[in-house]
C-alpha cells in the first residue's frame, strides 16, 4: 500500500513522528515502546538484529525489557513460554531453522492459550543452507495454531507489532500471534515509517493486560499448567482453540479499524489493489505484493483489467474475503514463495482453491507458481510474467500448466563443477614423524613430535583462498592442530565462520571429505558417520576402498555451536564414539554478527552485550566448556592455543590416538577474531598468548580423568595481570574505566578462582 504521508499525518488523531528505519528496527522499536517484560532470544539471520537493537536501546536506558540470551531457539521459546505462564508480556524474534528448532514449542504456547508476540523474519530453511528471504519457514507456522499477521514493509512491521499484542491478549482470542515479514527485503531495507510519537499512546491503545487469566505466580489460585489430557478432553481443547482462531479474524478487523482511526493507517484483512472490476489478478504475499501494484498500473494503461491481492492475515485464512475478491475474476495467478512439495502447489494456492470451491466458484481459473525461493529477486518483469499466465488462460479458456515453478533454470552441464583439488597423498599426510605410545603404568600417552619445521611439508587440509577476514585465527589454529594429525580425516563443520567462509556452492576449500549439517546437530551426525565406518569395516564392506589406515573423524565447531549443540555433544561423549570435537573459541557468535555466546567473558562487548550507561558488556561469566566435557569422563580433554604450537601439536597427536583407539576427545582452542575483538589483524597470536599468560585460558589436559596443566605461566614467571590482556582488544577497553571497575573485579576474581581450582586438580589424581 503506497503511503501518502501528508494525507496520513493529517488523518492521524494521535501524534505521530516519522523515522527512517528498517523492518527489524521497527520490530524492536515497537517492542521497546510496548516495553515487554521479557524477550527470550537466540541469534539467527536475518532476525537477530531485533535483539541487537533492543540491547542497544536497553544499554541507553530506553526500556526495561529483560533480554534473555537462550542456549538455542528451543530454549528461547521455552523461556518465552515460561514467562508467559507467569503473567508476562513476552516477545521473541526468529527465522528459518531457528523457527524450525522451536517448532515443537509453538503448539504448546497456543494449545495452552498463553499470548505472546513473535516476529518471524522469513528466510529459506536448510538444506542446502541459504540465508535469504522466502516463506518456507512461514509455511511451517500454518498449523501451529498462532494467528499470523503479514508485513509487506517496515511500516507494516511496526503497525502489526502494536496490533499483534492487543489481538493476542483479547479475552476472546488469547493466542500467541506471529508477525511475519520478509528477510532482508523488509528486515534490512530502510523506509520512511510513521510511529506513535509517545509511548503512553501506545500503552493506551494496547491497554492493560486483561486480568483473571491463569498465572503461575498467583499463590492464591494455584494452577496446573499443561496437564496430561486424554480423550475426550483433548479434542475439546482443540475445538476451543479452533474457535478462538476463527474469532481472531473478527477481533483483528475490529482492532485494525480502531488503529486506522487513531493513525490513518489501515490494514484490512485483504489488501486489494484495483480489484473492483479486475478480470485477471495476481495473489502475492509481503514484499513482492508491493511490486505487483506497479505492474497492475502498467497493465491498466494497456487496457487490461488487472488487480492484485495481498493478505494482511493468513491465519485464520481469510477464506470468505478471498472468495469475494475473486468472484468476478476470470483467472488468478497465485505466487507461493515456498513449495508444499508434492502438494501440486504451495499452501496458499491450495487454500485459495478451497475457498473458491467452498463458495461455489468453479469459474475462476487458478494458476499456481512457486517463485522467489532462496531470496531470488522478484522484479517488475516477473510480475508481468505472472500476469501473462492468467491472461493466456483467459484467452485460451483453460489453464495449460496449473502448477509449475517460476524462475528456475535448467543449468548448463558444461558448467558442472569440476574437481580442481586432487585427493591428498596418503604418504604426505602420514609423515611417520609423530609417535604416540601408551604408558601401561601411568595410563597416559607418551608423545614425540619432531621440530615443527619438519611438519611444514605436510599438506594443508584446507586450501588457501577461503573468505575469512584478514587476521582470522581460525585457519592458522586449525592447520596447526591438523599438523599433529596423521593420515586421512573426515571432517564435519558446524554452521559458523569456519564453515561459511570455506564453502559457497560450487566452491569448497576442503581437500578432505567435509560434511555440514545443522548448527546444533554435528556431534550426533558425526556419531552416525563414525558408527557406519566401524560397522562397514566389520562387515568387510570397506575392503575394496583404498583405505590404508583408519580415518580420524573430527568435528569442528565454534563456541556458539557448543552452546546450541551442547546436548548432542554431551550425548556423543556419553556414548563415547571414536571422534574428536574441536571447538575454536572466538568468544562469540561471529558469523551472525558478533552476538554474545556463553563463552563470551564477563564485561566483553558484543552486539547483544553493548556498553553504555546502563550496561557494561556481558553480564555473566564465561562457560567452562572444557570442564563440562571433562565431567562426561571421556578419555581425553584438552585446551590449546596457536601461541604455544608445540603444546597444541602434541595434544592433537594424543587426541588422534584416543579417537582411534578409545573414544571421544574434546579440545578447545582460543582463536582471535580481529573483526569483532576490535584488535589488530597481525596481533592475533600475541593476544591469545596473553589470554593464556593471564590464566584466563590455561593450557591443560584431562587424560583419563587426571588433570595436567601443560604450561604454567606462574612457574615460568610469565603471568600477567588480566587487564594487560584486556587492553589488547577494543571490545574490552572500557573495562579499565572506573565506571566498569566492579565488572572487571568480578571477572578477575572468577578467573583467579578457576585457575586455583585447576591447580588443585593438577595436584590431585582424584579431583
Ligand atoms: C537452529 C539455528 N539457530 C541459529 C542459527 C544461526 N547461526 C548460524 S552460525 C551462528 C553462530 C555461530 O557461532 P559460533 O559457533 O561461535 O561460530 P562463529 O560464527 O563464531 O565462527 C548462528 C547463531 C542456525 N544456523 N541454526
Ligand atoms: S568474523 Fe572473526 S571469526 Fe569470523 S572470519 Fe572474520 S575474523 Fe574470523
Amino acid at each position: 500500500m503506497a503511503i501518502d504521508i501528508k494525507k496520513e499525518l493529517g488523518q492521524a488523531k494521535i501524534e505521530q513522528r516519522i523515522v527512517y528505519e528498517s523492518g527489524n528496527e521497527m520490530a524492536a522499536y515497537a517492542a521497546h515502546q510496548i516495553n515487554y517484560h521479557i524477550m527470550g532470544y537466540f541469534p539467527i539471520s536475518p532476525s537477530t538484529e531485533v535483539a541487537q537493537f533492543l540491547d542497544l536501546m536497553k544499554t541507553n536506558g530506553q526500556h526495561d525489557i529483560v533480554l534473555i540470551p537462550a542456549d538455542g531457539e528451543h530454549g528461547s521459546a521455552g523461556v518465552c513460554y515460561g514467562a508467559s505462564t507467569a503473567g508476562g508480556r513476552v516477545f521473541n524474534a526468529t527465522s528459518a531453522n531457528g523457527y524450525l528448532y522451536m517448532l515443537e514449542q509453538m503448539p504448546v504456547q497456543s494449545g495452552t492459550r498463553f499470548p505472546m508476540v513473535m516476529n518471524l523474519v522469513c528466510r529459506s530453511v536448510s538444506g542446502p543452507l541459504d540465508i535469504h528471504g522466502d516463506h518456507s519457514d512461514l509455511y511451517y507456522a500454518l498449523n501451529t495454531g498462532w494467528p499470523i499477521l503479514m508485513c509487506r514493509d517496515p511500516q507494516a512491521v511496526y503497525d502489526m507489532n502494536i496490533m499483534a499484542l492487543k489481538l493476542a491478549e483479547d479475552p476472546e482470542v488469547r493466542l500467541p500471534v506471529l508477525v511475519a515479514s520478509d528477510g532482508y527485503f523488509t528486515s534490512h531495507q530502510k523506509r520512511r515509517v510513521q510511529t506513535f510519537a509517545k509511548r503512553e499512546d501506545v500503552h493506551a491503545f494496547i491497554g492493560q493486560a486483561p486480568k483473571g487469566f491463569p498465572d503461575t505466580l498467583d499463590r492464591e489460585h494455584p494452577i496446573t499448567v499443561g496437564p496430561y489430557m486424554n480423550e475426550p478432553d483433548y479434542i475439546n481443547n482443540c475445538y476451543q482453540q479452533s474457535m478462538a482462531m476463527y474469532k481472531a479474524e473478527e477481533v483483528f478487523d475490529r482492532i485494525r479499524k480502531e488503529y486506522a482511526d487513531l493513525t490513518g493507517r489501515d490494514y484490512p484483512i485483504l489488501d486489494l489493489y484495483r480489484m473492483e472490476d479486475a478480470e485477471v489478478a495476481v495473489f502475492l504475499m509481503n514484499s513482492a505484493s508491493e511490486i505487483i501494484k506497479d505492474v497492475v498500473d502498467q497493465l491498466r494503461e494497456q487496457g487490461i483489467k488487472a488487480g492484485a491481492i495481498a493478505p494482511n492475515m493468513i491465519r485464520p485464512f481469510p477464506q470468505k474475503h478471498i472468495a469475494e475478491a475473486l468472484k468476478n475474476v476470470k483467472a488468478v495467478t497465485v505466487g507461493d514463495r515456498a513449495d508444499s512439495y508434492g502438494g501440486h502447489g504451495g499452501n496458499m494456492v491450495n487454500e485459495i482453491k478451497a475457498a473458491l470451491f467452498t463458495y461455489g466458484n468453479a469459474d475462476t481459473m487458478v494458476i499456481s507458481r512457486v517463485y522467489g525461493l532462496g531470496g531470488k529477486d522478484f522484479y517488475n518483469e516477473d510480475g508481468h510474467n505472472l500476469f501473462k499466465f492468467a491472461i493466456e488462460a483467459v484467452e485460451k479458456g483453460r489453464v495449460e500448466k496449473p502448477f509449475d515453478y517460476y524462475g528456475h533454470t535448467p543449468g548448463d552441464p558444461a558448467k558442472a563443477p569440476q574437481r580442481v583439488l586432487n585427493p591428498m597423498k596418503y604418504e604426505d599426510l602420514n609423515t611417520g614423524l609423530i609417535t604416540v605410545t601408551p604408558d601401561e603404568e601411568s595410563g597416559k600417552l607418551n608423545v614425540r613430535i619432531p621440530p615443527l619445521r619438519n611438519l611444514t611439508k605436510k599438506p594443508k587440509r584446507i586450501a588457501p583462498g577461503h573468505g575469512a577476514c584478514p587476521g582470522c585465527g581460525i585457519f592458522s589454529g586449525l592447520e596447526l592442530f591438523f599438523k599433529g594429525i596423521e593420515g586421512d580425516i573426515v571432517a564435519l563443520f558446524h554452521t559458523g565462520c569456519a564453515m561459511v567462509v570455506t564453502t559457497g556452492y560450487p566452491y569448497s576449500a576442503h581437500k578432505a571429505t567435509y560434511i555440514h549439517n545443522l548448527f546444533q546437530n554435528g556431534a550426533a551426525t558425526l556419531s552416525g558417520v563414525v558408527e557406519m565406518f566401524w560397522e562397514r569395516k566389520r562387515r568387510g564392506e570397506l575392503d575394496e576402498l583404498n583405505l590404508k589406515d583408519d580415518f580420524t573423524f573430527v568435528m569442528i565447531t565454534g563456541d556458539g555451536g557448543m552452546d546450541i549443540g551442547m546436548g548432542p555433544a554431551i550425548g556423543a561423549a556419553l556414548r563415547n564414539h571414536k571422534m574428536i570435537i574441536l571447538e575454536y573459541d572466538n568468544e562469540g557468535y561471529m558469523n551472525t554478527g558478533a552476538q554474545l555466546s556463553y563463552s563470551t567473558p564477563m564485561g566483553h562487548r558484543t552486539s547483544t552485550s553493548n556498553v553504555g550507561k546502563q550496561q557494561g558488556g556481558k553480564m555473566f561469566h564465561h562457560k567452562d566448556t572444557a570442564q563440562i566435557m571433562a565431567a562426561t569422563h571421556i578419555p581425553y580433554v584438552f585446551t590449546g592455543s596457536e601461541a604455544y604450537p608445540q603444546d597444541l601439536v602434541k595434544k592433537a597427536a594424543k587426541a588422534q590416538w584416543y579417537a582411534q583407539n578409545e573414544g571421544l576427545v574434546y579440545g578447545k582452542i582460543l582463536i582471535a577474531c580481529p573483526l569483532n575483538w576490535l584488535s589488530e589483524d597481525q596481533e592475533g597470536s600475541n593476544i591469545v598468548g596473553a589470554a593464556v599468560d593471564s590464566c584466563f585460558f590455561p593450557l591443560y589436559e584431562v587424560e583419563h580423568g587426571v588433570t595436567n596443566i601443560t604450561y604454567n605461566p606462574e612457574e615460568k614467571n610469565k603471568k600477567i595481570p588480566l587487564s594487560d590482556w584486556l587492553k589488547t582488544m577494543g571490545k574490552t577497553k572500557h573495562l579499565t574505566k572506573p565506571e566498569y571497575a566492579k565488572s572487571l573485579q568480578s571477572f578477575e576474581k572468577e578467573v583467579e578462582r578457576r585457575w586455583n581450582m585447576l591447580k588443585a586438580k593438577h595436584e590431585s589424581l582424584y579431583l
Side-chain angles (χ1 to χ4, degrees), residues 422-496:
N422 290 321
M424 289 170 289
K425 285 207 191 96
Y426 180 80
E427 301 68 44
D428 295 340
L429 290 168
N430 198 27
T431 61
L433 297 172
I434 298 174
T435 56
V436 184
T437 39
D439 182 325
E440 296 287 322
E441 223 170 279
S442 67
K444 293 186 176 179
L445 296 179
N446 291 321
V447 184
R448 287 171 68 91
I449 60 163
L452 289 183
R453 63 178 176 279
N454 294 3
L455 293 173
T456 46
K457 272 211 289 202
K458 205 176 211 176
K460 289 190 168 177
R461 293 180 196 260
I462 300 167
H466 51 70
C469 312
C472 175
I474 296 178
F475 297 100
S476 45
L478 289 186
E479 283 299 349
L480 189 62
F481 173 80
F482 283 135
K483 287 279 178 267
I485 304 281
E486 298 273 84
D488 289 316
I489 62 165
V490 171
L492 181 143
F493 279 52
H494 259 172
T495 321

Side-chain angles (χ1 to χ4, degrees), residues 42-45 48 72-73 94-101 123 126 129 474 494-500 516 518-520 557-564 584-593 595 597 673:
F42 189 80
I44 184 161
S45 305
T48 318
E73 288 83 358
T94 193
S95 300
N97 286 71
Y99 184 66
L100 264 59
Y101 193 38
R123 163 189 145 178
S126 298
L129 175 66
I474 296 178
H494 259 172
T495 321
C497 279
M499 170 257 162
V500 169
H516 165 247
L518 300 169
F519 182 25
Q520 66 277 28
T557 175
D559 43 307
M562 283 301 283
D563 285 345
I564 191 169
Y584 64 87
D585 177 3
N586 51 18
E587 301 182 341
Y589 299 168
M590 300 320 187
N591 168 56
T592 38
Q595 297 83 20
S597 77
C673 169

Side-chain angles (χ1 to χ4, degrees), residues 336-593:
D336 271 291
R337 213 166 191 154
D339 196 358
S340 161
Y341 298 103
H344 304 278
N347 288 87
M348 286 303 117
V349 76
N350 286 326
E351 299 202 11
I352 288 170
K353 283 182 183 170
L356 295 175
F357 182 84
T358 306
Y359 284 85
N361 178 348
D363 299 327
T364 304
M365 289 178 280
V366 181
I367 301 111
S368 161
R369 289 295 179 269
V370 170
Y371 78 103
L373 301 189
K376 194 169 169 49
D377 280 318
F378 184 79
Y379 297 114
N380 186 289
E381 68 183 88
D382 300 312
H384 277 282
N385 287 335
L386 291 193
F387 266 110
K388 219 184 260 171
F389 297 127
I391 294 165
E392 275 170 16
V394 174
E395 283 166 2
K396 291 185 179 153
R398 69 192 151 80
V399 178
E400 292 232 302
K401 211 166 194 188
F403 166 64
D404 200 358
Y405 271 44
Y406 172 79
H408 55 298
T409 51
D412 179 356
K415 290 188 183 146
Q418 303 294 317
R419 179 174 283 284
V420 259
L421 297 169
N422 290 321
M424 289 170 289
K425 285 207 191 96
Y426 180 80
E427 301 68 44
D428 295 340
L429 290 168
N430 198 27
T431 61
L433 297 172
I434 298 174
T435 56
V436 184
T437 39
D439 182 325
E440 296 287 322
E441 223 170 279
S442 67
K444 293 186 176 179
L445 296 179
N446 291 321
V447 184
R448 287 171 68 91
I449 60 163
L452 289 183
R453 63 178 176 279
N454 294 3
L455 293 173
T456 46
K457 272 211 289 202
K458 205 176 211 176
K460 289 190 168 177
R461 293 180 196 260
I462 300 167
H466 51 70
C469 312
C472 175
I474 296 178
F475 297 100
S476 45
L478 289 186
E479 283 299 349
L480 189 62
F481 173 80
F482 283 135
K483 287 279 178 267
I485 304 281
E486 298 273 84
D488 289 316
I489 62 165
V490 171
L492 181 143
F493 279 52
H494 259 172
T495 321
C497 279
M499 170 257 162
V500 169
V501 304
T502 52
T503 61
Y505 183 82
Y507 303 108
S508 171
H510 296 276
K511 295 200 261 175
T513 292
Y514 156 97
I515 307 166
H516 165 247
N517 185 19
L518 300 169
F519 182 25
Q520 66 277 28
N521 220 12
T525 309
L526 197 60
S527 317
V529 179
V530 169
E531 292 313 313
M532 205 56 209
F533 169 75
W534 289 105
E535 187 53 18
R536 285 182 72 189
K537 198 169 151 145
R538 189 183 70 79
R539 295 184 190 201
E541 292 173 8
L542 297 182
D543 292 350
E544 72 276 19
L545 298 181
N546 184 22
L547 195 62
K548 299 219 173 55
D549 212 342
D550 292 344
F551 282 113
T552 303
F553 295 92
V554 190
M555 173 180 134
I556 306 294
T557 175
D559 43 307
M562 283 301 283
D563 285 345
I564 191 169
M566 191 85 234
I570 288 183
L574 295 174
R575 297 189 301 268
N576 204 24
H577 300 283
K578 289 181 174 163
M579 59 191 252
I580 300 169
I581 295 179
L582 182 67
E583 173 186 335
Y584 64 87
D585 177 3
N586 51 18
E587 301 182 341
Y589 299 168
M590 300 320 187
N591 168 56
T592 38

